[in-house]
Amino acid sequence: MTASLNSLDIAKPPSATRVVAAMSGGVDSSVVAALLKRQGYDVVGVTLQLYDHGAAVHRAGACCAGQDIHDARRVAEAIGIPHYVLDYESRFRDAVIERFAESYLAGETPIPCVECNRTVKFRDLLGLARELGADALATGHYVASRDLGTGHRGLFRAADESRDQSYFLYATTQEQLDLLRFPLGGLDKAQTRGLAAEFGLAIADKPDSQDICFVPSGRYAEVIERLKPGAARPGAIVHLDGRVLGEHEGVLRYTVGQRKGLGISGAEPLYVVALDAQNARVIVGPREALSVARVDLRDLNWIGDSALADLPPEGIEVAVRVRSTRAPREARLLADDKGVHVLLAQGEEGVSPGQACVIYDHAGSGARVLGGGVIMANRAPRPAPQPEPAYATT
């Protein structure tokens, strides 16, 4: 007789199902741990110490990471589960912080949260969960996973589209996805905070984190310059028509689509159109120059049903997000011997190299994530040459 599935789609009673709950010290992950404990699961809380905030920003006493660990420990004690803190600081620095800095210096706008999920959290932590004999690893992300009836699970947008975090989880592999569970996928934030209050958790009103964890001030350039002293090169700010409009102190201070803070003035609003890190140039132009109709991808992660190699030559209809703050837009996905390409049904502005392009099966609510990749830099536009000066002849 086949055992019935529990709420995590595992053929065991909850009491015989071990779940490692990734606890960041925030409201969402704390509610996940408490919810699973109330449902009768064998829950083990694990918190990763990822960075020394004081060292990251050179501010003594700014150890928010320590406060988060303290909050996670208090929640674990309150709900009665074992709790472990693991020092993953060196792994986080190598896999996330160093790559973040290198990407910015290359003229990209990276998303460290994607890299953290892909490596430290879902690769290393998932390995630990297996060592602990866990049947599942649960996190507080707002995203849904469901059994596809094929022996594998699919990744879907959360019910609350305003909280949906699928954009940051596109790099989850099929092997990882099969072990991961996301209990908050069907809830909104108000419901989650309501559960935190119901459970009597001291962090029920704790504010959400807004910035990248190791850049609490939001000033990315300062952190990168501390990590890579002397790496930033000054250069020219150049208009698409060839005019040199000013100078900059490093391309890492700019991102494609940026308008404010350029330090230049003109008759028309100017935007960063491209970053030419090799030649230390920031290229600017009018807003219409930002529109992009084709996006080339690298480092693609594919979790669709059929292999990319089996796509028809004309590609398939999909929906994509080129920024976390944008809704999925209709597009066509193609794969050939030169790589993977996305043709946008309507041009998108501010498509920045280093950001993610996440692929969905459709643009509506509850769409399934098919995968995604890193947006590649198209060849930097070459500004028009300036005319030679006319000299008077005698």
Side-chain angles (χ1 to χ4, degrees):
M1 183 182 220
T2 304
S4 60
L5 299 179
N6 58 35
S7 63
L8 298 180
D9 290 336
I10 297 170
K12 291 182 179 181
S15 60
T17 304
R18 172 163 289 182
V19 183
V20 167
M23 301 180 68
S24 67
V27 176
D28 300 327
S29 61
S30 297
V31 166
V32 164
L35 191 61
L36 293 172
K37 174 65 175 178
R38 185 173 72 176
Q39 292 173 349
Y41 290 98
D42 176 14
V43 183
V44 178
V46 174
T47 299
L48 304 182
Q49 179 179 328
L50 297 179
Y51 61 95
D52 179 341
H53 228 153
V57 297
H58 285 199
R59 279 167 43 201
C63 191
C64 296
Q67 181 60 49
D68 290 338
I69 291 170
H70 174 69
D71 289 342
R73 182 178 292 117
R74 282 200 304 166
V75 168
E77 290 175 354
I79 64 177
I81 64 170
H83 178 252
Y84 302 95
V85 178
L86 305 179
D87 184 357
Y88 275 25
E89 189 173 335
S90 62
R91 302 188 195 194
F92 184 72
R93 183 182 179 94
D94 293 342
V96 180
I97 298 179
E98 290 290 337
R99 294 188 64 168
F100 172 83
E102 291 165 2
S103 183
Y104 253 110
L105 290 170
E108 297 182 337
T109 306
I111 313 174
C113 298
V114 170
E115 198 62 28
C116 182
N117 288 331
R118 186 181 72 84
T119 57
V120 177
K121 289 183 180 176
F122 288 174
R123 183 189 65 199
D124 297 343
L125 183 53
L126 198 134
L128 173 68
R130 287 197 175 97
E131 290 177 11
L132 293 174
D135 299 286
L137 170 64
T139 79
H141 291 99
Y142 286 88
V143 68
S145 76
R146 293 198 287 273
D147 189 338
L148 299 173
T150 61
H152 294 295
R153 300 183 70 80
L155 189 65
F156 298 83
R157 294 192 72 195
D160 182 356
E161 294 184 6
S162 68
R163 303 292 305 185
D164 173 56
Q165 293 175 294
S166 61
Y167 181 85
F168 301 100
L169 300 180
Y170 80 86
T172 307
T173 67
Q174 187 64 66
E175 180 185 12
Q176 293 169 346
L177 187 56
D178 289 342
L179 198 68
L180 283 162
R181 298 295 187 273
F182 307 102
L184 303 186
L187 304 180
D188 60 31
K189 187 69 179 194
Q191 290 173 310
T192 300
R193 287 199 182 277
L195 284 170
E198 180 183 327
F199 291 131
L201 303 182
I203 48 77
D205 296 322
K206 185 176 180 177
D208 293 335
S209 58
Q210 299 294 329
D211 298 307
I212 294 173
C213 63
F214 58 90
V215 193
S217 66
R219 294 190 286 271
Y220 309 134
E222 293 181 5
V223 173
I224 295 168
E225 287 170 342
R226 290 191 180 104
L227 292 168
K228 305 283 185 180
R233 288 193 297 150
I237 300 176
V238 186
H239 194 283
L240 281 171
D241 65 13
R243 290 175 292 150
V244 175
L245 303 180
E247 297 181 349
H248 65 81
E249 297 181 356
V251 296
L252 62 88
R253 297 179 180 274
Y254 301 85
T255 185
V256 171
Q258 180 178 337
R259 177 183 173 188
K260 297 180 179 179
L262 301 184
I264 57 175
S265 60
E268 61 177 352
L270 294 174
Y271 300 79
V272 176
V273 174
L275 297 172
D276 181 0
Q278 183 175 357
N279 297 300
R281 296 187 308 174
V282 175
I283 301 168
V284 299
R287 181 169 181 172
E288 54 265 27
L290 286 172
S291 184
V292 171
R294 171 180 167 139
V295 179
D296 297 327
L297 304 181
R298 62 174 169 84
D299 301 334
L300 193 88
N301 181 60
W302 184 252
I303 49 177
D305 291 330
S306 57
L308 275 175
D310 296 333
L311 293 184
E314 68 276 15
I316 60 172
E317 296 295 328
V318 295
V320 301
R321 292 166 80 181
V322 295
R323 289 272 186 174
S324 63
T325 54
R326 298 181 187 174
R329 305 280 182 87
E330 293 180 355
R332 179 172 289 273
L333 176 69
L334 300 99
D336 55 33
D337 56 358
K338 295 181 181 179
V340 179
H341 325 283
V342 170
L343 304 182
L344 301 167
Q346 295 183 325
E348 289 267 14
E349 295 182 353
V351 178
S352 182
Q355 291 280 297
C357 176
V358 181
I359 305 163
Y360 300 85
D361 63 349
H362 62 83
S365 61
R368 180 182 171 189
V369 179
L370 300 178
V374 178
I375 297 171
M376 294 176 62
N378 294 324
R379 192 169 184 177
R382 186 180 295 276
Q386 289 282 69
E388 291 293 328
Y391 295 97
T393 58
T394 57

